[in-house]
Amino acid sequence: MLYSENELNKRIKADCSVYYFYASDEALVRDAAAKVEHALSKDDPETTVLSGPTPSVEEIVLAAGTISFFGGKRLVLMPLVKPSSYSDKDLQEFCDTLADTENAVFILTSVLEEHYGKIKPGKREQKLIVACEKLGYCAQVAKPGRTALQGMLRDWAQEVGASFAPGADGMLIDRCGEDQFLLHNEVDKLAALADYGTITPDMIRKLGTVTLDADTFDMVKLVSSGQTAKALQKLRVLLALQNDPILITGALIGNYLDIYRAFLARRSRRQMADLAKDFGYGGKWNYRLGNAEKTAPRFDRRQIEKSLKILQRLDLDLKGSKLDNDLLLQKALCELALAGGRR
């Protein structure tokens, strides 16, 4: 089943002996496990952490069977377990131990591979999932959508006594991406800047962390709308912050490829979800391809292809030319303005 905080809260109260969370992103399972651990820690249990992808069966048996000196149940944490690394025999013993334990509560997490935006557990992963579903609470932790993320931002701000001005929460996601740990840190930082009052768009513009992909995409939009001077100013800021010119170029190439794919998808009347599947976009494709889809109409096919050739030449020059890297980037940005300026 998919992770639901309301369902999880009910299950914690139901005194489960096993909680198992799996996802394609470590941050997601870590957050879910932390909620359970926090809830169960109110009774101050003795805690054992079995680190590593494959704790031995002996370690698991010992952790599960040890009697608490304080009379309560022990808490056994098994972060980032990798079921596929166990032999069939050891995995069966692992599952048997989970079923037989009377004195411990297990909290397990796993990061599983994602294919075309979906997790497809292998044979051993499925075995552990089925066992944990029978014994307690087992859930795939899904990545929150944009609306859910905005709600989380507002909740985090409220926890420290702050709030977001209208539209500011969405702006923060646009600039920082969807990494929950980064966003939570940004909320704490911006709340302090706002003196635990209202976080405004201006504060986010001045102090909010920006991902390289987002910054370079801003440059593309500025170039395509004829604002070359502003694009060059943003480039100077990126270079002053010591971003690697080759990484900047790589991000720009990725931006233009997104636009090219969105342009072709639009012409062939294909949905962005189909495009994401065809090219293996994961995680944040809604935001990434959504931006590309909105920007693509500013270009024709010839302009995009010419822009990609400019960036290909820039990449080769940065890796082989003796000219100053900053000048090469500035020159390429001006060429991009000429190749794909406002139509």
Side-chain angles (χ1 to χ4, degrees):
M1 65 181 294
L2 290 175
Y3 172 74
S4 161
E5 286 204 32
N6 289 335
E7 177 67 19
L8 176 58
N9 290 333
K10 294 177 185 176
R11 293 292 185 128
I12 293 174
K13 295 173 184 177
D15 195 28
C16 292
S17 61
V18 177
Y19 297 88
Y20 182 36
F21 302 101
Y22 60 96
S24 61
D25 187 331
E26 180 180 341
L28 296 175
V29 293
R30 190 187 303 169
D31 182 62
K35 285 183 171 66
V36 177
E37 184 183 356
H38 176 73
L40 297 178
S41 293
K42 293 176 182 177
D43 296 327
D44 196 25
E46 294 180 58
T47 302
T48 301
V49 180
L50 301 180
S51 300
T54 52
S56 70
V57 175
E58 290 76 14
E59 289 178 298
I60 298 169
V61 171
L62 182 62
T66 303
I67 297 174
S68 170
F69 291 109
F70 297 99
K73 286 196 171 185
R74 294 184 63 84
L75 193 57
V76 182
L77 309 181
M78 296 182 63
L80 305 182
V81 171
K82 195 171 182 180
S84 60
S85 295
Y86 284 96
S87 67
D88 288 336
K89 178 177 178 294
D90 285 346
L91 185 60
Q92 183 60 56
E93 290 184 12
F94 181 177
C95 294
D96 290 343
T97 302
L98 294 178
D100 292 340
T101 183
E102 296 180 358
N103 197 52
V105 177
F106 282 86
I107 303 176
L108 302 88
T109 61
S110 293
V111 175
L112 307 183
E113 287 188 19
E114 186 178 78
H115 300 281
Y116 299 116
K118 293 184 178 180
I119 289 177
K120 294 185 177 180
K123 180 181 176 182
R124 292 190 177 92
E125 283 95 350
Q126 290 178 19
K127 185 178 182 66
L128 183 58
I129 288 170
V130 169
C132 292
E133 285 176 341
K134 291 178 180 178
L135 299 170
Y137 182 74
C138 177
Q140 176 187 336
V141 187
K143 294 179 180 178
R146 184 180 177 85
T147 301
L149 270 179
Q150 288 178 272
M152 291 167 70
L153 293 182
R154 292 191 293 269
D155 289 344
W156 292 334
Q158 190 175 19
E159 286 172 6
V160 294
S163 63
F164 278 94
D169 47 3
M171 181 181 180
L172 185 59
I173 294 171
D174 290 342
R175 288 172 64 86
C176 295
E178 299 177 2
D179 184 292
Q180 291 181 52
F181 288 111
L182 172 60
L183 287 170
H184 203 158
N185 289 335
E186 288 297 297
V187 170
D188 289 342
K189 179 177 72 178
L190 290 164
L193 176 67
D195 197 20
Y196 302 98
T198 303
I199 299 170
T200 65
D202 189 54
M203 292 175 184
I204 295 171
R205 276 191 291 269
K206 289 180 178 177
L207 197 64
T209 299
V210 184
T211 63
L212 188 56
D213 278 338
D215 253 333
T216 52
F217 199 84
D218 283 346
M219 287 162 55
V220 173
K221 288 191 290 186
L222 289 169
V223 163
S224 65
S225 61
Q227 301 180 71
T228 310
K230 289 185 178 180
L232 287 167
Q233 177 59 35
K234 185 169 281 289
L235 173 62
R236 283 193 286 272
V237 171
L238 285 178
L239 293 171
L241 292 172
Q242 298 186 330
N243 285 283
D244 188 324
I246 293 177
L247 292 181
I248 294 174
T249 303
L252 280 169
I253 291 171
N255 296 150
Y256 274 93
L257 282 173
D258 290 341
I259 291 170
Y260 194 28
R261 290 164 178 168
F263 175 86
L264 294 176
R266 189 186 185 95
R267 289 189 63 177
S268 59
R269 301 181 184 277
R270 287 178 64 79
Q271 298 296 317
M272 288 300 105
D274 294 329
L275 177 61
K277 183 176 181 180
D278 290 343
F279 289 97
Y281 285 87
K284 299 181 283 188
W285 71 262
N286 270 311
Y287 167 68
R288 182 174 168 181
L289 291 182
N291 271 340
E293 185 182 28
K294 291 175 185 176
T295 308
R298 299 182 184 181
F299 297 88
D300 59 34
R301 182 168 181 167
R302 179 190 58 81
Q303 288 175 316
I304 304 173
E305 290 175 349
K306 188 173 181 180
S307 298
L308 285 168
K309 288 179 181 177
I310 291 168
L311 290 170
Q312 182 183 34
R313 186 169 64 249
L314 171 61
D315 185 60
L316 293 173
D317 287 344
L318 288 172
K319 295 172 181 176
S321 174
K322 294 182 180 179
L323 294 176
D324 183 79
N325 286 344
D326 294 10
L327 291 177
L328 287 171
L329 273 164
Q330 291 176 46
K331 172 176 171 287
L333 210 56
C334 292
E335 290 175 341
L336 289 172
L338 292 172
R342 181 181 290 172
R343 295 165 56 193

